[in-house]
Amino acid sequence: MIILITGASHTGKTFLAQRLLEKYRYPYLSIDHLKMGLIRSGYTALTPEDDDALTEYLWPVVREMIKTAVENKQNLVVEGCYIPFDWRKDFDERYLPFIRFICLAMTEEYIERHYDEIIAHESDIETRLIAGSCTIDGLKKSNRRFIDTFGKAGERIVPVEGDYDGITANLMD
């Protein structure tokens, strides 16, 4: 089984991947790690802020890694914001039954009510090097983009309501 997890920044993608690793022993690939490895090694002139260009650059590599894992009957969690909204077009019936897709998103109301908690947990799994760069308006805009684009593509959006153990249990049981 391949589990793709996407969503806006601060939605808990890496936290959920870590929970799935702990519960099911599925390894996970952080697309952010791949991104930073390519940027730091000089294999690309893109920067961490080039989100759309990074999706175009990274997705072909990630897509083929997913196909290889399916072909080898391996379990893998792939998490990151660099999954295109039309990702399904890249897989045929040999692959799609083995891919579970999760898009995490926060509503504007949730962000307004829980902003301090969101920021308090922003480094639970990975240390963020740029503290203070996340604003309420930025979170709202980013989450709205994921809700709109993936929703229009017919994907189910999983609401983030703070209980990641509950999200993990509901998604995998």
Side-chain angles (χ1 to χ4, degrees), residues 120-166:
H121 291 284
E122 71 180 356
S123 293
D124 281 356
I125 301 298
E126 296 177 325
T127 302
R128 295 185 184 263
L129 299 178
I130 305 173
S133 63
C134 179
T135 65
I136 290 178
D137 289 337
L139 279 176
K140 287 179 181 179
K141 180 179 177 184
S142 180
N143 277 273
R144 173 56 45 210
R145 180 174 171 250
F146 276 84
I147 291 168
D148 289 347
T149 57
F150 284 98
K152 286 178 185 170
E155 299 291 352
R156 177 176 155 234
I157 309 298
V158 177
V160 173
E161 297 173 339
D163 180 12
Y164 287 92
D165 291 327

Side-chain angles (χ1 to χ4, degrees), residues 10-73:
H10 290 74
T11 54
K13 298 177 297 294
T14 307
F15 191 90
L16 178 56
Q18 180 69 35
R19 288 291 179 258
L20 293 169
L21 167 72
E22 293 167 1
K23 184 171 183 175
Y24 298 103
R25 302 286 185 225
Y26 288 7
Y28 75 85
L29 167 70
S30 168
I31 302 174
D32 278 343
H33 290 172
L34 178 60
K35 167 191 78 176
M36 292 310 298
L38 292 165
I39 289 171
R40 288 180 171 181
S41 66
Y43 279 98
T44 181
L46 295 171
T47 70
E49 289 78 34
D50 296 325
D51 285 344
D52 291 336
L54 281 164
T55 299
E56 290 178 30
Y57 185 73
L58 296 169
W59 179 245
V61 175
V62 172
R63 175 191 69 217
E64 297 308 316
M65 292 171 73
I66 292 167
K67 288 178 180 177
T68 301
V70 169
E71 291 161 359
N72 289 321
K73 297 177 176 57

